[in-house]
Amino acid sequence: MILSELIDYGTLRLIWWVLLGVLLIGFAAMDGFDLGVGMLLPFVGRSDVERRVVINTVGPVWEGNQVWLILGGGAIFAAWPPLYAVSFSGFYLAMFLILAALIMRPVGFKYRSKREHKGWRSTWDWALFIGGFVPALIFGVAVGNVLQGVPFRFDEDMRIIYEGSFLGLLNPYALLCGLLSVMMLAMHGSAWLALKTSGVVSGRARRFGSIAALLTILFYLVAGAVLWTHIGGYRITSPIDPSGPSDPLLKTVVAEHGAWFVNYAAHPWLMIAPALGVLGPLGVFFALRSKAEILPLLIGKLAIFGIISSVGVSMFPFILPSSIDPKSSLTVWDSSSSHVTLFIMLVCTAIFLPLILAYTSWVYHVLWGKVDEAGVLDKNSHSY
């Protein structure tokens, strides 16, 4: 017996759909507070020393946190090739903006302290702000477009044709989702700063985080209401074979009002996801206001889990619907790599993901504790 046959094809596809969600949530929960801290840097730090304190809360960990972004992109490439082809080509300019903004982060961290000139350091502070704000916004915009459907189709030779434009991605609903993403990660960054700093920096972070938490709830509820009243969703009308060939054109799909809410009616327990999307930020708000330290960060991760997983749960089994040719939509059951490929990747993931979690936990254990002004001003320290 071939080892890959130990798990049937349909189950492997479902496992990789879950793992893709885990990796995306992991990126938002781990690297998300780095992006949030970058966005907050010019506002919670008023003096050069205060901004150095803010930067040094994420300085030792931000590079390691980006592992989750690499893992997510790699999983899309290897497990869902058509998804990778459509998203990384159709969203090319958006991806370029994200990468350009992310490149500004390491440059900002490394170059800021090279000169003591006020203008020089202020410039790199705003570069770090852009490095946090732009990815957070564009990732949210991408999710908003996915929920609406992306303008792509397959031709008779199974070539992917994208008929959209970059400006078309910046539609009102997508921008609303982008603002939701910005507020969610700003809230998470504030929770991190509340844990890692003290004094006036911590106080400002708590104030900004409280506002971001309330705006996260507002934007999430508005996005859900618009999704229900104006956008609708997609539904497969033909028989589904979970172990069938990876050929999106073999199915029939229709656009239908309320289709993104059908899974909740069929499985009410799935309401846990949107409930966390509302109650999580509310919990962060009260935890920040009560001067709790680690609690806002932990609750913030639950909020991120709820908001992102509610998108996946709503769309299942769709991964990337097509707005111009619904039958070209990519689903869990018809857009994956081969049975053997998914199995080999699963074995590798079972080996290496626990290692990543172990060394990440060890790093955070070693670097536990607050960052203060005395520490960053110490001439013998390795702070930025």
Side-chain angles (χ1 to χ4, degrees):
M1 179 191 296
I2 300 176
L3 287 177
S4 61
E5 294 179 358
L6 294 173
I7 306 177
D8 68 85
Y9 198 11
T11 301
L12 273 174
R13 284 168 160 168
L14 184 60
I15 289 172
W16 270 103
W17 174 78
V18 172
L19 284 175
L20 178 60
V22 168
L23 294 175
L24 294 178
I25 293 170
F27 167 68
M30 298 302 296
D31 201 36
F33 67 75
D34 293 349
L35 300 177
V37 168
M39 285 187 279
L40 293 169
L41 174 62
F43 310 106
V44 299
R46 303 290 172 80
S47 66
D48 180 66
V49 175
E50 290 176 357
R51 291 186 179 184
R52 288 185 62 192
V53 168
V54 172
I55 290 171
N56 280 280
T57 63
V58 296
V61 298
W62 72 269
E63 289 177 291
N65 289 340
Q66 291 199 141
V67 167
W68 293 95
L69 177 62
I70 298 169
L71 289 174
I76 293 173
F77 172 77
W80 312 100
L83 174 62
Y84 181 90
V86 175
S87 57
F88 280 73
S89 59
F91 296 170
Y92 179 79
L93 287 178
M95 294 292 182
F96 178 82
L97 282 177
I98 290 173
L99 290 176
L102 290 177
I103 288 171
M104 297 182 76
R105 290 211 295 168
V107 178
F109 282 124
K110 302 299 182 182
Y111 278 24
R112 184 189 186 278
S113 60
K114 298 301 182 183
R115 294 178 60 193
E116 295 187 4
H117 189 271
K118 182 178 180 181
W120 172 268
R121 293 191 171 184
S122 178
T123 298
W124 290 115
D125 290 339
W126 285 104
L128 290 171
F129 167 82
I130 293 171
F133 177 81
V134 171
L137 179 69
I138 299 298
F139 282 133
V141 166
V143 172
N145 279 280
V146 169
L147 285 168
Q148 296 174 89
V150 177
F152 75 95
R153 61 183 174 85
F154 290 92
D155 65 10
E156 61 276 6
D157 297 317
M158 291 299 293
R159 292 178 300 184
I160 297 172
I161 299 174
Y162 181 81
E163 299 185 4
S165 66
F166 174 71
L167 292 179
L169 297 176
L170 303 178
N171 56 78
Y173 184 75
L175 289 173
L176 171 64
C177 292
L179 291 175
L180 167 59
S181 175
V182 168
M183 289 299 106
M184 178 181 74
L185 297 187
M187 172 189 72
H188 202 38
S190 297
W192 174 255
L193 289 175
L195 172 65
K196 295 290 289 184
T197 65
S198 57
V200 293
V201 174
S202 178
R204 293 186 195 119
R206 290 179 185 276
R207 289 195 294 273
F208 280 110
S210 299
I211 295 171
L214 295 178
L215 289 176
T216 298
I217 298 172
L218 175 63
F219 290 149
Y220 184 62
L221 291 175
V222 172
V226 173
L227 191 66
W228 169 257
T229 58
H230 291 89
I231 294 178
Y234 297 83
R235 181 172 64 88
I236 300 174
T237 57
S238 57
I240 298 174
D241 182 5
S243 298
S246 289
D247 184 350
L249 297 181
L250 295 179
K251 65 181 179 300
T252 303
V253 177
V254 296
E256 187 177 84
H257 176 74
W260 285 160
F261 296 86
V262 169
N263 288 337
Y264 297 111
H267 307 284
W269 63 272
L270 293 175
M271 287 297 297
I272 293 173
L276 286 175
V278 175
L279 297 178
L282 187 62
V284 173
F285 172 81
F286 285 113
L288 287 172
R289 303 304 293 178
S290 67
K291 309 298 184 182
E293 295 203 338
I294 195 171
L295 194 59
L297 188 69
L298 297 179
I299 299 176
K301 293 184 186 299
L302 286 177
I304 289 172
F305 171 82
I307 290 171
I308 296 179
S309 63
S310 66
V311 175
V313 167
S314 299
M315 293 178 57
F316 184 83
F318 289 90
I319 299 178
L320 189 66
S322 170
S323 59
I324 59 175
D325 182 26
K327 74 175 182 179
S328 293
S329 299
L330 305 179
T331 74
V332 173
W333 314 124
D334 60 22
S335 59
S336 72
S337 293
S338 69
H339 191 171
V340 174
T341 299
L342 294 183
F343 181 79
I344 293 174
M345 289 174 57
L346 182 62
V347 172
C348 294
T349 302
I351 295 172
F352 290 106
L353 188 58
L355 292 176
I356 292 172
L357 293 173
Y359 82 68
T360 300
S361 301
W362 178 79
V363 167
Y364 278 89
H365 172 72
V366 170
L367 298 173
W368 195 255
K370 291 186 179 292
V371 179
D372 55 28
E373 295 185 6
V376 300
L377 292 175
D378 184 356
K379 293 183 179 180
N380 295 320
S381 74
H382 298 283
S383 60
Y384 289 107

